[in-house]
Amino acid sequence: MINRELLNPESIVVVGGSNKTSKPGGNCVRNLVNGNYKGRLYAVNPGETEVQGLKCYRHVSEIPRTDLAIIAIPAALCLETVTILAEEKGVKAFIMYTAGFGEESREGGEMERKIVDVIDRAGACLIGPNCIGFLNRYHHSLFTLPIPEMDIFGIDMISSSGGTAIFIMESAIKMGLRFNSVWSIGNGAQISVEDVVEYMDMNFNPETDSRIKLLYIESIRDPDKLLEHTSSLIRKGCKIAAIKSGTSESGMRAASSHTGAMANPDLAVEALFRKAGVVRCFSREELATCGAVFTLKELKGKNIAIVTHAGGPAVILTDALSKGGMTIPKLSDHLPAKELKSRLLPGSSVSNPIDILGTGEPVHLAAAIDYCEKKFDEIDGIAVIFGSPGLTRVYEAYDVLDKKMRTCSKPIFPILPSVSTALDETDFFVKKGHVNFSDEVGLANALTKILKTPHPLANNLELKGVDVPLIRRIIDSLPEPAGYIAPGEVQRLLRAAGIPMVEERVSDSWDEICDFARKAGYPVVAKVVGPVHKSDVGGVVLNIRSQEHLAIEFKRLMSVADARAVMIQPMLKGMELFAGAKYEEKFGHIVLCGLGGIFVEIFRDIASGLAPLATEEALSMIRSLKGYQVFDGARGQKGIDEYQFAKIIVHLSALLRFATEIKELDINPLLATENGIIAVDARIRIEKDY
């Protein structure tokens, strides 16, 4: 529903416009006037004849036909007012500041729906209610401050919350960011965050549109729409970072499986953002910092050179970058490094960080940057720390930095920490069109987060080795309408999906159990079948080495409450892994993976993906784990085949695609043995629709 009348209206009426700028209607009029709105501007206020130099009408029925109406009146008056404007005055776009609707009460929600119905029938669009407005290069229809500097290639920001939008702008302006548009969605009665992203995608013009989008989202109403259009924009060359708030209230749930306990809305959001290629942030400052990084040349590798005249901040930055997986390569052994050292002051260091000393001059800063760009081929990006030690000509240094940032082929990240003692010099630099990262750790965190975020990943189903018809036959033949299915059916389903399973026998007959153990060879593992949490009832026995021992444990396990049978398997050795899935409302199946055993139960080191998954995305999940180094064989341990692990995850997601009745699935452990990765234990819970 977003239209020309909202984006570039030829006329605007502020209903509730006021001479008092302490009121939303008054401040909005001031912002429109100070923003040099070029169209016709009216105000409606029964108590005024003139508002801030504008002609003021007593009632909306008196105004000329108008493109856009800004509503800043009590909620009780809104329905009648909107009806007159939409049906009699040809208004095709509304921005509604007014609160007191769906966010407050059921009655307010009903009134909100009636207003939307009127606007829909008129073929008009609505931003709000309960918002701070809309801002672009054509009109500043916000009732708040600050108003950022506008730029056609500035940032597009879309926020569910008006107050959060203000505070994000505060952080961003401080860094030197400029804006192309600000959308405060409020209740999103007609237009949601997803709708704005969709509009930007469907109407994207690479020659005239901003390529940077920052999102603050309180509720994802349509995950599929958000995924489709964020990933599409990123494929078109855009960069997107987002905060999704409100994901912790149902974090730990009572559930009957590891997957059910761990899967939550936060992991669903993580999975969606990973698939889309959206950089996930958790604070306003982090979001603004990512936006500032997006404005610079793209960092295409992990190797950073640090040029500084202050050792301490350079060490802090080195630590923060290294912790995030970036590299600060040593440079002092290179011949060019020796050449650079000869051009710097005595005592300077070129090992990286490159320290030009507190007495270093702008010419030394220029030389260090030039060598990082042209002589040190391994360097991918340059961080420059330069404040005011009270000894150097800061204006000249920042002028050098300005010129180098415009011409250098590698990205330069300016860290100018003296925002008090060198305030004028920093403003001088920022006003030339640059951003400034006053905090080196904030920059390091944003850089590493951006570099680790994968590009939009393919949704292609990989079905090689997956027997789809057999999967459907097994599911359709299951007698249970809901609940955990029998171990034998679990085995059949996983084998049909191409997931290797350990050989096992489930029986309540001692002769059958004994016969299987003899053929499989000791030692074996015995598990009770029936109780959901086998370990809690002593229902798992490892390393059974003889028939006599097995006979004792078989008798004990069959006596456990709710026991129906005993499962017996060969005793395997290897690294424990975990894979599982849970159906999450709106999002679909969330696939989880991680290290098994204590890593999943205590450390909760897990990664999530949104089914269906391709190999590239499964590998991205695996490599994002904190314990990923273990897969490479850390501290002398034997590593695992991460590609086989990824293949199992992909096959698991294919199973879910064709067996949507599965609501929870646990494979724990997957055992990485000398002969490959094999599923040792699994549970599947289904819900059939009738």
Side-chain angles (χ1 to χ4, degrees):
M1 297 296 296
I2 296 170
N3 54 26
R4 188 274 306 167
E5 288 84 358
L6 173 66
L7 301 176
N8 189 10
E10 296 177 0
S11 51
I12 300 176
V13 59
V14 182
V15 183
S18 173
N19 286 307
K20 297 180 180 179
T21 56
S22 58
K23 293 186 174 182
N27 210 23
C28 169
V29 171
R30 180 176 66 179
N31 287 342
L32 285 164
V33 172
N34 291 347
N36 297 314
Y37 170 63
K38 305 299 183 185
R40 299 182 301 278
L41 184 58
Y42 315 119
V44 173
N45 189 323
E48 303 284 357
T49 57
E50 184 180 283
V51 169
Q52 299 183 46
L54 303 176
K55 181 179 179 180
C56 185
Y57 298 85
R58 297 182 60 81
H59 194 269
V60 290
S61 62
E62 302 172 4
I63 69 169
R65 290 182 68 84
T66 307
D67 279 351
L68 168 65
I70 298 170
I71 310 298
I73 56 176
L77 304 175
C78 287
L79 179 57
E80 178 187 358
T81 300
V82 167
T83 302
I84 294 171
L85 290 168
E87 296 180 355
E88 300 177 19
K89 298 302 174 180
V91 173
K92 292 297 182 183
F94 292 84
I95 298 172
M96 189 173 291
Y97 299 156
T98 310
F101 291 101
E103 82 285 356
E104 188 171 293
S105 67
R106 180 177 298 177
E107 294 76 17
E110 182 60 32
M111 184 67 68
E112 185 177 290
R113 285 188 288 274
K114 290 179 180 179
I115 289 171
V116 173
D117 287 343
V118 170
I119 292 172
D120 285 344
R121 285 198 303 270
C125 69
L126 168 66
I127 298 292
N130 187 30
C131 71
I132 64 167
F134 172 75
L135 168 75
N136 68 6
R137 290 173 289 112
Y138 301 108
H139 63 109
H140 298 175
S141 294
L142 298 177
F143 71 80
T144 62
L145 296 174
I147 301 296
E149 185 176 337
M150 307 304 293
D151 187 319
I152 188 172
F153 296 117
I155 286 168
D156 290 319
M157 181 170 72
I158 313 165
S159 176
S160 299
S161 160
T164 304
I166 294 169
F167 302 141
I168 292 171
M169 283 193 286
E170 293 269 14
S171 297
I173 291 168
K174 179 184 68 177
M175 292 182 189
L177 283 170
R178 292 144 187 85
F179 285 77
N180 179 58
S181 68
V182 176
W183 303 68
S184 169
I185 299 304
N187 291 3
Q190 187 203 56
I191 296 174
S192 66
V193 171
E194 295 97 313
D195 293 326
V196 178
V197 174
E198 178 185 38
Y199 179 85
M200 290 179 173
D201 178 30
M202 301 301 291
N203 296 274
F204 182 71
N205 184 333
E207 302 300 322
T208 59
D209 288 353
S210 169
R211 293 175 180 265
I212 301 173
K213 322 289 180 188
L214 302 183
L215 314 179
Y216 172 76
I217 309 171
E218 290 183 344
S219 174
I220 299 178
R221 301 179 186 178
D222 191 336
D224 288 342
K225 179 184 284 190
L226 186 64
L227 172 61
E228 176 185 355
H229 294 292
T230 51
S231 59
S232 175
L233 281 166
I234 292 169
R235 289 189 183 99
K236 291 172 181 176
C238 293
K239 299 172 182 177
I240 303 178
I243 296 172
K244 168 62 179 80
S245 63
T247 56
S248 61
E249 72 281 356
S250 55
M252 286 294 289
R253 308 176 176 182
S256 57
S257 69
H258 294 301
T259 303
M262 291 183 296
N264 57 56
D266 187 66
L267 286 173
V269 171
E270 189 78 29
L272 188 151
F273 284 6
R274 178 194 303 278
K275 188 177 286 288
V278 172
V279 179
R280 189 177 187 191
C281 300
F282 293 90
S283 73
R284 293 178 286 105
E285 198 76 15
E286 187 177 48
L287 187 69
T289 304
C290 284
V293 172
F294 287 158
T295 67
L296 302 175
K297 292 182 178 72
E298 183 177 357
L299 181 65
K300 296 181 179 180
K302 295 184 177 182
N303 292 339
I304 304 295
I306 301 173
V307 178
T308 182
H309 67 172
V315 174
I316 294 171
L317 179 58
T318 299
D319 290 344
L321 289 170
S322 299
K323 184 178 179 181
M326 310 287 278
T327 304
I328 316 299
K330 186 177 180 181
L331 301 172
S332 56
D333 293 337
H334 294 242
L335 178 60
K338 296 176 181 178
E339 294 174 359
L340 173 60
K341 188 173 179 66
S342 70
R343 297 181 58 179
L344 302 179
L345 294 175
S348 298
S349 170
V350 294
S351 62
N352 198 15
I354 300 170
D355 190 347
I356 63 173
L357 303 181
T359 52
E361 295 287 335
V363 64
H364 302 125
L365 175 63
I369 294 173
D370 285 343
Y371 269 73
C372 289
E373 179 190 10
K374 300 170 184 176
K375 302 287 187 177
F376 302 138
D377 294 336
E378 66 270 46
I379 295 300
D380 300 304
I382 308 161
V384 174
I385 304 173
F386 204 102
S388 174
L391 301 171
T392 56
R393 299 185 295 277
V394 177
Y395 271 116
E396 292 183 25
Y398 289 180
D399 190 50
V400 165
L401 187 55
D402 165 53
K403 291 182 173 63
K404 295 300 180 185
M405 288 187 68
R406 295 182 190 280
T407 59
C408 185
S409 60
K410 299 175 182 178
I412 297 176
F413 306 99
I415 303 165
L416 315 181
S418 300
V419 293
S420 177
T421 57
L423 176 62
D424 292 341
E425 295 93 329
T426 303
D427 284 347
F428 156 82
F429 176 78
V430 168
K431 285 176 180 177
K432 286 179 175 287
H434 300 298
V435 293
N436 171 36
F437 306 96
S438 58
D439 176 64
E440 58 275 3
V441 174
L443 169 63
N445 291 341
L447 273 179
T448 55
K449 181 161 288 192
I450 290 169
L451 205 63
K452 287 180 178 179
T453 300
H455 289 289
L457 298 166
N459 244 347
N460 301 330
L461 273 171
E462 298 180 15
L463 297 178
K464 184 177 181 181
V466 178
D467 191 336
V468 174
L470 179 57
I471 288 171
R472 283 312 316 165
R473 287 198 300 273
I474 296 169
I475 290 289
D476 293 338
S477 67
L478 291 174
E480 305 95 334
Y484 282 96
I485 65 176
E489 303 303 326
V490 172
Q491 281 247 349
R492 291 181 65 206
L493 271 176
L494 294 184
R495 291 186 190 281
I499 298 172
M501 287 289 297
V502 66
E503 290 293 332
E504 66 182 31
R505 176 67 55 85
V506 176
S507 179
D508 60 359
S509 163
W510 162 248
D511 289 339
E512 290 184 11
I513 292 295
C514 181
D515 183 61
F516 179 86
R518 185 171 58 254
K519 291 177 181 177
Y522 291 93
V524 296
V525 176
K527 304 176 185 180
V528 66
V529 175
V532 172
H533 294 292
K534 294 186 283 289
S535 297
D536 294 346
V537 295
V540 179
V541 186
L542 305 178
N543 206 28
I544 299 174
R545 294 184 170 275
S546 67
Q547 181 174 319
E548 292 75 15
H549 186 188
L550 178 59
I552 295 170
E553 296 298 348
F554 175 80
K555 183 177 181 180
R556 184 183 67 81
L557 291 174
M558 288 299 296
S559 68
V560 171
D562 299 323
R564 300 194 307 269
V566 169
M567 175 193 294
I568 187 170
Q569 301 169 334
M571 178 78 183
L572 302 178
K573 293 183 179 180
M575 185 186 300
E576 292 188 14
L577 308 174
F578 162 78
K582 185 174 188 300
Y583 182 83
E584 190 72 33
E585 192 66 32
K586 293 184 180 180
F587 289 84
H589 282 103
I590 310 303
V591 180
L592 309 181
C593 74
L595 288 163
I598 62 170
F599 287 95
V600 67
E601 293 179 1
I602 299 176
F603 300 140
R604 301 182 64 81
D605 182 17
I606 52 178
S608 60
L610 197 61
L613 299 168
T615 300
E616 182 185 6
E617 186 171 1
L619 286 169
S620 170
M621 291 167 59
I622 293 167
R623 291 166 182 171
S624 72
L625 294 166
K626 298 183 183 70
Y628 173 66
Q629 287 182 337
V630 177
F631 293 172
D632 280 336
R635 294 186 175 272
Q637 295 189 39
K638 187 175 178 60
I640 73 160
D641 184 345
E642 64 181 274
Y643 287 92
Q644 188 188 2
F645 192 15
K647 183 179 178 182
I648 289 171
I649 295 168
V650 169
H651 283 205
L652 174 59
S653 83
L655 168 64
L656 300 169
R657 169 65 179 80
F658 294 101
T660 56
E661 294 88 347
I662 294 175
K663 302 307 177 186
E664 284 186 36
L665 187 153
D666 242 357
I667 307 176
N668 188 25
L670 275 167
L671 209 58
T673 71
E674 292 183 353
N675 299 317
I677 302 175
I678 189 167
V680 173
D681 198 1
R683 287 180 294 179
I684 296 176
R685 184 176 66 82
I686 64 165
E687 290 179 14
K688 288 187 176 183
D689 296 325
Y690 290 99

